[in-house]
Amino acid sequence: MAVRTIITEGDPRLRQKALRIRTVDDEVRQLARDLWDTVREARGLGLAAPQIGVLRRIIVVSIPPDYAEEGDPGVELTLINPEIVRASGRQVGLEGCLSIPGWYGEVPRFMHVTVKALDLDGREIRVKGSGLLARVLQHEIDHLDGILFVDRIEDRSTLRYIPDEDEEEATSAEAAAS
Ligand code: NI
């Protein structure tokens, strides 16, 4: 188990383009395990490798059951070289980032996306997501291109600081820190 340090805004590695993974080998699988250990410890909804300072194209998505809506089964995904191949609709919702702790803002995103990626066995997979899952997928894939959610905010007045002790407010607003 290796919980890694999550780097924060200002670190130049968050602004770089991550490299494609050529071979899904044990090193990549170890990196995935580290991402999982780190996202669970941070209780994030997702994490991208650049957030632990590794410039490779791999993300994890971890949406707990009942998070967005009562009865939701939850989602756990590890995606290598993820790429959005279809996108439609629009949603605007509160979003946060483990690399910009405490800050939240209203971010416009596609409502539905289809993502093509490799799984941990190197097989090509497709994932369809709507609503919160679509939001987290877009947020994490942005990290692979050096884009942060604050770059996507249209209305800067929605950007606000919600301290840790008010985490309830953040989660009740379905904020996605990832
Ligand atoms: Ni983030």
Side-chain angles (χ1 to χ4, degrees), residues 14 46-48 51 95-100 139-140 143 147-149 176-178:
L14 284 176
L47 193 66
Q51 293 182 276
E95 204 168 303
C97 180
L98 294 172
S99 294
I100 313 175
H139 179 114
E140 300 314 329
H143 272 301
I147 298 166
L148 301 176
F149 82 91
S178 52

Side-chain angles (χ1 to χ4, degrees), residues 81-131:
N81 299 335
E83 238 177 279
I84 295 171
V85 291
R86 284 190 69 173
S88 63
R90 180 181 149 99
Q91 57 174 324
V92 181
L94 202 58
E95 204 168 303
C97 180
L98 294 172
S99 294
I100 313 175
W103 287 91
Y104 295 87
E106 300 277 340
V107 183
R109 297 284 187 186
F110 292 114
M111 178 58 93
H112 312 280
V113 294
T114 303
V115 172
K116 186 179 87 173
L118 298 178
D119 68 11
L120 284 170
D121 297 313
R123 284 184 299 237
E124 191 176 302
I125 52 168
R126 268 163 205 262
V127 175
K128 277 186 176 186
S130 296

